[in-house]
Amino acid sequence: AQTVTQSQPEMSVQEAETVTLSCTYDTSESDYYLFWYKQPPSRQMILVIRQEAYKQQNATENRFSVNFQKAAKSFSLKISDSQLGDAAMYFCAYRRAGTGNQFYFGTGTSLTVIP
Amino acid sequence: KAGVTQTPRYLIKTRGQQVTLSCSPISGHRSVSWYQQTPGQGLQFLFEYFSETQRNKGNFPGRFSGRQFSNSRSEMNVSTLELGDSALYLCASSLGGQGDYGYTFGSGTRLTVV
C-alpha cells in the first residue's frame, strides 16, 4: 500500500517569512498525483497545490510552491511571505492516476504563524 | 456555485445505536468519496460512489456502509456504533471521470459516540 510520511508534526514561522513543510511518499506506480491540502479550524480540506508526477516542472500557486523530487519520492511545500491566515493543519496526499482511486494522506503538519 | 454540503455538522450518539450521515456534492459532480479522520489513525478512506455504484472501498468493517442516489447525493451509515467510531467524517465530490483530480471536500460531520 502507498504510504505518505510527514515528519514534522508542528512548525512555526514568523509572519512574512518563508517556511518549508516536508513530505515523502512510497509507491511503485509511475503515474500519480500529489497534493497539499490545508485544513483550518473550519475543518474543510482546502486544496493548496497539486502536482502531476509526469510533469518535471514544480507546481506554483502564488505564494505556494513545491519541490518535487520524483526519484527521491519527496514533495515539499514552500510557503513564502507567510500570512496569519496560513495557520492551519497541512496534509500531504497521494493519489494514483485513474478513476475511483483514493487519497492517501500523511499525518499532517500543524503550522503556526507568529505575528 | 454551492460547495459540498454535509449534514449534520455535529452528532452525538450512544454506543450500539446506528447513524446516517449525508453528503450533497457540487452540482454536476457524480463521484462522492468518504473519509474518516481521527487523531490516532489520521485520514482513512471509507468508500467511493460513482453513478450510484460503489467503485472503491477501504478497509473498514461491514458496519460501515453507504449509498448514492440518482441526484448524486450520498449517505453513509454506521450500525452498532462503537466508541472508536467517534471521528470527523469528511466527504469529497468530483466529476469522477478519467484523469479527474478536482476533488472538493465538505466541512465534515463530527460524530461523538458516548
Side-chain angles (χ1 to χ4, degrees), chain A residues 33 35 37 39 41-47 50 52 91 95 97-107, chain B residues 9-10 35 37 43 45 48 55-57 88 90 96-101 103-110:
Chain A
Y33 307 112
F35 307 81
Y37 278 92
Q39 188 178 41
S42 66
R43 308 179 328 200
Q44 184 181 14
M45 298 283 278
I46 301 167
L47 178 65
R50 65 174 178 255
E52 291 90 341
F91 291 93
R95 180 172 169 265
T99 58
N101 291 312
Q102 71 216 60
F103 285 96
Y104 293 88
F105 288 92
T107 50
Chain B
R9 277 185 64 82
Y10 299 92
Y35 289 81
Q37 185 176 18
L43 283 143
F45 172 73
E48 189 238 5
R55 192 162 61 173
N56 194 5
K57 187 178 188 303
L88 178 67
L90 292 164
Q98 183 71 28
D100 171 44
Y101 49 71
Y103 286 75
T104 302
F105 283 83
S107 295
T109 294
R110 172 79 66 189

Side-chain angles (χ1 to χ4, degrees), chain A residues 49-51 55-60 65-69 75:
Chain A
I49 199 165
R50 65 174 178 255
Q51 174 82 43
K55 289 186 177 179
Q56 292 187 330
Q57 186 173 9
N58 290 324
T60 300
S65 61
V66 298
N67 183 4
F68 173 46
Q69 302 290 326
F75 183 62

